[in-house]
Amino acid sequence: MKKLIVVAAAGLVTLAGCSQSGEVADRPLRVGMEAAYAPFNWTQKDSANGAVQIEGGGWAGGYDVQMAKRVAEDLGRSVVVVKTSWDGLIPALQADKIDLIVAGMTPTAERKEAIDFSDPYYTSDIVIVVKKDSKWTSAKSLADFKGAKITAQISTIHYDQFLGQIPGVDKQTALPDFPTMILAVKSGKIDGYISERPGALSAVASNPDLAFVSFAEGQGFNYSEADTSIAVGLKKGSDLLADVNTALAKVSDADRQELMKQAVEDQPASDTNSLPADAGDWSFWGWIGYVVATYWPWLAQGVGVTMLLALTGTVVGMALGLGIGVVRTLPSDRHSAGPVKRAALKLVNALLAIYVEVFRGTPMMVQAMVVYYGLGMAFGINLDVITAGLLVVSINTGAYMAEIVRGGIESVDPGQTEAAKAVGMGHWATMRGVILPQAIRNILPATGNEFVINIKDTSVLMVIGTSELFFEGRTIDGILYQTFPVYLLVAAIYLVLTFSTTRLLRLFERRLDGPDSFVLATSSTTPESILRPGGGNYAGRTR
């Protein structure tokens, strides 16, 4: 009998293990990348050239995508790309938002303390991208860049180690991504930025007014092969490490070089089939028209997500603010409450005050990082980006609305509260029937202002990959490298949204105010027609 029980238990464990393995095998491999670092990874509008779908919309292509597909095929799984900002990749991996980082990431000693890395899947050399007509194109060594304004991408070995090797360099602030650095060079804000050769080839192919400077041995940057290699990032202790290395080993060096060559040719901004033949002659307004005609579905999706986050956050925040405002006005004097109730009210008020001060005193961007990544890392609570965004906007708005509601309640004449008490109305009845209707009307302008602020502030949620309007604009810029037209268009859309919202809210306020003329009942039988000042004469009779 005991033997039978042991066999049955072993069978159940085996079945459970098989079921769990099957679930993992059926689940797509979630790969994190910026999708804005051509030719390693970029965003495009369709599935051309073997692109992979991005979670939330769009397609990702590039060398990293092709290598991720090779790994996934060897594992018998499909691939979905999770578009994530560079700084968010490692937190996303640690919080189990993604399974792998395949984003041209160098396995530095500091990063190895946080995550594991596979064997390298590409190695390159380091160059400096400059403007084609600048004096820096004739540089032969790092010493020739003395006094040049040079930068690199934030949180990379390029900025942390290589930039300091240039003698007398005018070190500039690190920038968040390569499209931003390209714009900085083209606009003259900086003289150049540090890049791997493939990234420089991509930038020059997309921007004919750029060039890059490479160096002979001994004249350039001092680095080891490990410093310029890139590898797949995995969570510490991941069971996938051995399988990923096995998959990468099956891709020969010749195949890797061919994949990189193809990626440089396929990137959207250098692909002759992706833009009309006369694109080089387009004016500023021509690019505006092209962006609207080609990418309007992306912009429309961004507007929809932005308004969903702003409207929901404002409504939920308003509800939170009303609840907190009412609770914080509960009477706690000796005549209205016993000692236990007074102690409970003091504790609740203290907690509510902490909530208000914390969320009013910290940036929404930081709150988004804490909620999206921190809850997963600390408590295993994994929220999708929309849910996390709604939560952040709602609780942030609630903190502000709590103070707005408190001010609205205090703006109502205290005599009305005393009158309500005199006729036997309790606190809740007084709030519901007398105070709140007036307070809500008084705070409508401030509430509308919060709504407008939320429309704009949802842009900070791009740090967690929420596909709101600014995120979509940044994606389009990463494809076309037309920063000024793209962001001017995005700014115009934000202006239309906020202006329309403001006008609608003012119309709503006027409707609540009622007509300019009204009837005042001076007795139960004799109404008097009254016009507001400037609207006519008083023609009533007295009793």
Side-chain angles (χ1 to χ4, degrees):
M1 183 65 179
K2 288 183 179 180
K3 184 176 180 181
L4 182 60
I5 293 174
V6 170
V7 171
L12 289 173
V13 170
T14 303
L15 286 173
C18 292
S19 175
Q20 187 174 6
S21 300
E23 289 177 4
V24 171
D26 292 339
R27 185 168 59 84
L29 193 66
R30 296 172 59 82
V31 177
M33 62 181 66
E34 293 174 282
Y37 178 32
F40 290 97
N41 51 76
W42 64 73
T43 304
Q44 60 188 56
K45 59 186 178 182
D46 53 37
S47 60
N49 302 316
V52 169
Q53 195 154 24
I54 297 174
E55 184 178 68
W59 298 80
Y63 180 79
D64 289 333
V65 172
Q66 300 308 316
M67 294 301 293
K69 288 173 66 177
R70 297 288 184 100
V71 170
E73 287 171 6
D74 203 66
L75 296 176
R77 297 169 67 177
S78 59
V79 178
V80 61
V81 169
V82 180
K83 190 171 181 177
T84 309
S85 64
W86 178 259
D87 285 344
L89 286 170
I90 291 179
L93 186 65
Q94 293 173 326
D96 293 320
K97 304 293 184 182
I98 55 178
D99 300 313
L100 305 175
I101 297 174
V102 189
M105 182 173 283
T106 301
T108 63
E110 293 79 10
R111 290 176 185 149
K112 287 181 178 179
E113 293 293 324
I115 62 175
D116 288 334
F117 282 96
S118 70
D119 297 331
Y121 65 89
Y122 193 79
T123 303
S124 179
D125 59 329
I126 304 300
V127 300
I128 298 179
V129 177
V130 297
K131 210 168 184 179
K132 193 173 185 178
D133 58 359
S134 71
K135 66 178 182 178
W136 309 109
T137 54
S138 60
K140 302 297 181 183
S141 68
L142 292 182
D144 294 333
F145 282 93
K146 182 179 180 180
K149 295 183 290 185
I150 307 295
T151 190
Q153 187 178 21
I154 189 172
S155 301
T156 62
I157 193 173
H158 301 165
Y159 192 84
D160 297 336
Q161 296 186 30
F162 296 158
L163 187 53
Q165 296 181 22
I166 304 176
V169 68
D170 185 357
K171 187 176 182 180
Q172 301 295 295
T173 303
L175 294 175
D177 51 44
F178 279 79
T180 304
M181 290 192 290
I182 290 171
L183 175 64
V185 173
K186 295 176 69 172
S187 62
K189 301 298 183 183
I190 60 174
D191 296 315
Y193 67 86
I194 300 172
S195 171
E196 286 112 343
R197 181 180 291 270
L201 288 169
S202 173
V204 171
S206 306
N207 301 271
D209 53 342
L210 298 183
F212 66 87
V213 179
S214 56
F215 306 96
E217 187 174 351
Q219 300 298 311
F221 296 99
N222 181 26
Y223 53 82
S224 65
E225 184 175 320
D227 292 333
T228 58
S229 63
I230 58 177
V232 177
L234 304 95
K235 190 174 181 179
K236 277 287 186 183
S238 173
D239 296 334
L240 292 173
L241 180 58
D243 294 333
V244 169
N245 283 332
T246 299
L248 292 176
K250 295 178 181 179
V251 186
S252 66
D253 288 340
D255 286 343
R256 296 181 188 192
Q257 295 302 322
E258 182 60 30
L259 286 173
M260 179 56 75
K261 178 183 176 183
Q262 192 64 46
V264 173
E265 295 175 359
D266 289 343
Q267 61 171 320
S270 64
D271 184 357
T272 57
N273 295 321
S274 65
L275 291 173
D278 62 343
D281 300 325
W282 283 353
S283 66
F284 171 83
W285 296 108
W287 279 108
I288 291 282
Y290 177 77
V291 171
V292 172
T294 306
Y295 295 100
W296 70 264
W298 295 18
L299 295 171
Q301 175 179 310
V303 168
V305 173
T306 293
M307 294 305 292
L308 171 67
L309 292 170
L311 180 59
T312 305
T314 303
V315 171
V316 175
M318 176 70 169
L320 283 173
L322 284 172
I324 293 171
V326 171
V327 169
R328 296 183 75 178
T329 59
L330 285 171
S332 57
D333 56 272
R334 293 182 178 181
H335 301 291
S336 303
V340 175
K341 185 178 179 180
R342 289 202 306 273
L345 283 175
K346 286 183 179 180
L347 176 61
V348 170
N349 283 330
L351 293 175
L352 292 177
I354 291 172
Y355 158 70
V356 170
E357 294 303 324
V358 167
F359 284 96
R360 288 177 65 203
T362 55
M364 190 187 292
M365 183 179 292
V366 175
Q367 295 167 15
M369 296 288 283
V370 170
V371 169
Y372 186 64
Y373 297 121
L375 290 181
M377 296 169 66
F379 306 106
I381 302 173
N382 286 310
L383 304 175
D384 62 79
V385 291
I386 296 296
T387 303
L390 289 171
L391 180 60
V392 169
V393 177
S394 298
I395 58 180
N396 182 276
T397 304
Y400 284 94
M401 288 303 303
E403 290 300 289
I404 292 172
V405 170
R406 183 179 63 82
I409 291 174
E410 292 179 354
S411 70
V412 178
D413 188 347
Q416 299 195 34
T417 302
E418 297 300 324
K421 289 181 179 179
V423 297
M425 295 177 68
H427 179 77
W428 294 107
T430 301
M431 280 290 165
R432 184 175 65 253
V434 179
I435 305 301
L436 285 182
Q438 299 177 73
I440 291 173
R441 174 59 190 90
N442 292 342
I443 67 174
L444 269 181
T447 304
N449 188 53
E450 277 298 310
F451 186 20
V452 171
I453 290 173
N454 282 339
I455 292 175
K456 297 180 295 181
D457 282 359
T458 53
S459 60
V460 305
L461 297 176
M462 55 82 59
V463 298
I464 61 173
T466 306
S467 55
E468 40 68 49
L469 180 56
F470 181 75
F471 180 92
E472 297 293 353
R474 191 174 182 182
T475 298
I476 296 169
D477 177 44
I479 297 173
L480 301 176
Y481 294 102
Q482 294 293 326
T483 302
F484 187 38
V486 170
Y487 284 121
L488 187 64
L489 177 61
V490 170
I493 295 173
Y494 273 118
L495 181 60
V496 169
L497 293 177
T498 55
F499 182 81
S500 302
T501 300
T502 301
R503 289 295 176 269
L504 288 172
L505 288 171
R506 287 181 181 174
L507 178 62
F508 181 61
E509 289 174 26
R510 286 199 296 269
R511 291 291 298 271
L512 284 181
D513 288 340
D516 288 340
S517 60
F518 55 92
V519 175
L520 176 65
T522 58
S523 73
S524 60
T525 59
T526 307
E528 304 290 351
S529 297
I530 303 296
L531 293 177
R532 290 190 172 181
N537 297 320
Y538 177 81
R541 294 179 299 171
T542 59
R543 292 184 63 186

